[in-house]
């Protein structure tokens, strides 16, 4: 039932315009951070991908932009039960970072400045995950993960690691910060995969 318009180049609209079970509609944009907000200058920002064999690739801010960002229109769902419909973002698809990477990995383990981590299955992220750096036409606020955060809107929002700076490819699943504290290893809001 999702709306997807592949003909409209450079823009992705993936809003179901519907609330998953147990969610309510939020008009504001709550901030949920497990610790203090790190202040990372774009000039110092770096993202590192590490494969299961220890091969590494890194991007600075400009190199990340050179991968080709796109507009994203999507709904987001927090496990604390708020959802926002039709939010607008700009970000680089995860697929671009994985281009040409040889891997047998089945899981992505994202890490952030400040130490936050979260895990998710890699196979379902094609076309559905971004490194996002703009929200609603403006630079992403530090409180919301700026300069750049992961955006994985088909899973509960705790999987969208703010201040992302590492992407580890794993062959065996590993719990991240909230997953070690009882949150679901997958986190599909349509199946209410909230906790273990
Ligand atoms: N680095 C980091 N990323 C994080 C979090 C966090 O505490 N630290 N909280 C997660 C949770 S539980 C949610 S609901 C969303 C909240 O994002 P927001 O503060 O932009 O609403 O970020 C997720 N990403
Ligand atoms: Mo959350």
């Amino acid at each position: 039932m999702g709306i997807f318009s592949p003909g409209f180049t450079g823009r992705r609209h993936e809003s179901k315009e519907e609330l998953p079970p147990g969610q309510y509609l939020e008009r504001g944009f709550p901030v949920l951070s497990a610790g203090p907000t790190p202040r990372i200058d774009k000039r110092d920002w770096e993202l590192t991908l590490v494969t299961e064999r220890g091969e590494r690739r890194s991007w600075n801010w400009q190199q990340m932009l050179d991968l080709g960002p796109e507009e994203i229109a999507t709904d987001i769902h927090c496990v604390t039960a708020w959802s926002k419909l039709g939010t607008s973002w700009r970000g680089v698809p995860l697929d671009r970072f994985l281009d040409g990477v040889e891997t047998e990995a089945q899981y992505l383990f994202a890490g952030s400045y400040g130490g936050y981590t979260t895990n998710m299955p890699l196979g379902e992220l094609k076309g559905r995950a971004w490194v996002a750096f703009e929200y609603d036409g403006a630079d992403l606020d530090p409180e919301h993960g700026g300069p750049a955060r992961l955006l994985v809107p088909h899973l509960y929002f705790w999987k969208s690691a703010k201040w992302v700076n590492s992407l580890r490819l794993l062959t065996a699943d590993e719990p991240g910060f909230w997953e070690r504290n009882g949150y679901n290893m997958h986190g599909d809001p349509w199946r209410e995969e909230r906790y273990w």
Side-chain angles (χ1 to χ4, degrees):
M1 268 191 309
I3 301 161
F4 174 60
S5 11
F8 202 116
T9 52
R11 174 176 280 270
R12 208 168 244 280
H13 187 89
E14 262 188 310
S15 178
K16 289 189 194 278
E17 286 157 4
E18 194 186 319
L19 290 175
Q23 296 292 110
Y24 71 88
L25 187 62
E26 169 68 51
R27 303 259 174 215
F29 195 172
V31 171
L32 282 105
S33 302
T37 295
R39 306 279 159 170
I40 312 297
D41 198 289
K42 287 176 185 173
R43 286 168 297 191
D44 303 321
W45 184 88
E46 197 175 51
L47 180 65
T48 301
L49 176 82
V50 187
T51 73
E52 74 272 25
R53 286 175 304 185
E55 288 162 357
R56 304 168 79 88
R57 288 185 181 191
S58 292
W59 296 265
N60 64 24
W61 193 261
Q62 187 57 49
Q63 291 166 333
M64 181 269 292
L65 293 181
D66 290 344
L67 293 177
E70 62 183 22
E71 309 287 326
I72 309 118
T74 190
D75 308 332
I76 53 178
H77 312 290
C78 175
V79 73
T80 62
W82 57 266
S83 289
K84 287 179 74 59
L85 300 182
T87 59
S88 340
W89 304 79
R90 186 170 176 77
V92 174
L94 179 72
D95 312 331
R96 306 259 162 91
F97 297 92
L98 297 175
D99 242 8
V101 172
E102 268 186 57
T103 183
E104 308 280 296
Q106 285 161 38
Y107 302 94
L108 175 69
F109 191 81
S112 300
Y113 289 101
Y116 185 85
T117 53
T118 187
N119 57 304
M120 62 208 87
L122 187 61
E124 62 186 63
L125 300 182
K126 198 166 176 52
R128 297 168 102 187
W130 293 267
V131 172
F133 55 90
E134 281 181 24
Y135 175 78
D136 231 358
D139 282 357
L140 191 57
D141 280 342
E143 287 75 14
H144 287 299
R149 76 182 297 163
L150 209 57
L151 177 65
V152 190
H154 77 286
L155 298 177
Y156 281 122
F157 210 32
W158 87 78
K159 303 286 184 180
S160 294
K162 303 197 276 192
W163 318 295
V164 66
N165 86 321
S166 69
L167 302 171
R168 288 174 52 207
L169 305 181
L170 303 180
T171 50
D173 206 1
E174 215 180 277
F177 175 78
W178 280 120
E179 292 83 5
R180 277 194 293 269
N181 288 284
Y183 282 26
N184 199 275
M185 294 292 269
H186 186 215
D188 181 344
W190 296 93
R191 295 177 168 185
E192 286 210 82
E193 293 171 344
R194 297 175 189 271
Y195 311 105
W196 284 38

